[in-house]
Amino acid sequence: MKNIGEAPQEELATGERSTRNRVARSILDHGPSTAQDLANRLGLTQAAVRRHLDALVADEVVVPREQRVYGARTRGRPAKVFALTDCGRDAFEQAYDKLAVDALDWIERSAGGGEAGEKAVAAFARARVEAQAGAYRDAIEAVHPEERTQALAKALSADGYAATARSAPLPQRGEQLCQHHCPVAHAAERYPQLCEAETEFFSRLLGTHVQRLATIAHGDGVCTTFVPHGAPPQTTHPQASASTAGRNPA
């Protein structure tokens, strides 16, 4: 793969490379985006954005795809969105991915492989989440219950997940927690226990059942978790709802 911003035939000017990097970074931070979305966020014309997108597609940094709709569909042809490829994500910070995979592989083999190995990895995944839980709990407890999903998104962003929260499309009643970046995406592809533990943690933290709608590790452009409104608070540790994106890889 060419470096982000590298021209096919000649070296781009510094300003061109910088703008192209901004386009790619915006997709990383906000998830799959239309040319209009990018133009609005970056203060560029759609024509300029499309020129940079064409170059990023040629460099295999981004890929165009049909926009996924989780709520009621509107009339008309779905807008084309641009998402980062695996190679595009690799151009950003994922330095510890290989180390994580190697460590999990060692844990699985040391436990004897098979079901025992899977359980050992799952136990590690839960312990890892709990070890990082303090800041998330503090963030949640400091706000009104209606603001908890937003608070969780901010806490996740501080840990490098580039997370946002938004109202879910009708007829769903709730919010979508979106993680536009996953520092351990490659490890999660091989070991979905990492994502299952995270989803269970979100459920306990927010006091309601949550459902994974899409995941980076499963090939989607963003990890999306549905958080329903109006559910009664849980006094026990609820289990996360089954994912609609495979074995809940995030």
Side-chain angles (χ1 to χ4, degrees):
M1 186 199 82
K2 302 177 181 68
N3 292 327
I4 292 178
E6 180 182 328
Q9 301 297 331
E10 60 184 9
E11 185 66 21
L12 290 166
T14 301
E16 285 283 286
R17 289 201 307 273
S18 176
T19 302
R20 195 155 298 171
N21 287 341
R22 287 175 60 212
V23 171
R25 181 74 203 193
S26 185
I27 296 173
L28 175 72
D29 289 342
H30 296 275
S33 305
T34 65
Q36 181 66 65
D37 293 334
L38 292 162
N40 292 342
R41 288 198 297 263
L42 299 174
L44 301 171
T45 65
Q46 282 200 60
V49 167
R50 290 187 183 282
R51 176 165 52 83
H52 290 299
L53 287 170
D54 287 343
L56 290 169
V57 169
D59 289 349
E60 300 180 355
V61 173
V62 304
V63 61
R65 60 173 60 160
E66 183 177 301
Q67 189 171 28
R68 297 183 66 174
V69 178
Y70 297 106
R73 287 185 176 273
T74 58
R75 290 186 177 183
R77 186 175 181 178
K80 181 184 293 185
V81 297
F82 295 84
L84 285 181
T85 64
D86 287 341
C87 291
R89 290 182 185 282
D90 286 343
F92 294 96
E93 298 175 1
Q94 288 184 325
Y96 295 103
D97 248 14
K98 186 177 185 305
L99 175 62
V101 171
D102 289 345
L104 291 169
D105 183 61
W106 183 87
I107 291 171
E108 185 177 45
R109 287 186 288 104
S110 296
E115 184 177 352
E118 291 182 3
K119 289 182 177 179
V121 172
F124 167 80
R126 288 191 294 270
R128 172 181 174 271
V129 169
E130 288 300 327
Q132 300 172 328
Y136 295 103
R137 289 198 178 99
D138 290 344
I140 294 298
E141 292 172 359
V143 301
H144 189 275
E146 293 180 358
E147 300 173 346
R148 287 178 177 174
T149 306
Q150 289 283 352
L152 177 56
K154 290 181 180 179
L156 286 166
S157 292
D159 277 348
Y161 289 88
T164 59
R166 64 191 181 196
S167 296
L170 296 175
Q172 294 176 318
R173 295 183 65 252
E175 295 174 281
Q176 287 184 352
L177 175 66
C178 300
Q179 294 159 263
H180 303 286
H181 180 52
C182 178
V184 293
H186 289 167
E189 286 181 32
R190 182 165 173 178
Y191 293 102
Q193 294 96 323
L194 293 173
C195 310
E196 292 165 358
E198 181 183 77
T199 307
E200 290 170 5
F201 175 63
F202 289 167
S203 185
R204 295 196 303 272
L205 197 62
L206 297 171
T208 186
H209 292 278
V210 302
Q211 182 181 24
R212 276 277 161 87
L213 302 178
T215 62
I216 292 172
H218 198 250
D220 299 296
V222 58
C223 297
T224 304
T225 304
F226 174 64
V227 181
H229 284 168
Q234 300 286 342
T235 56
T236 59
H237 288 180
Q239 295 298 312
S241 301
S243 169
T244 59
R247 190 192 161 190
N248 206 18

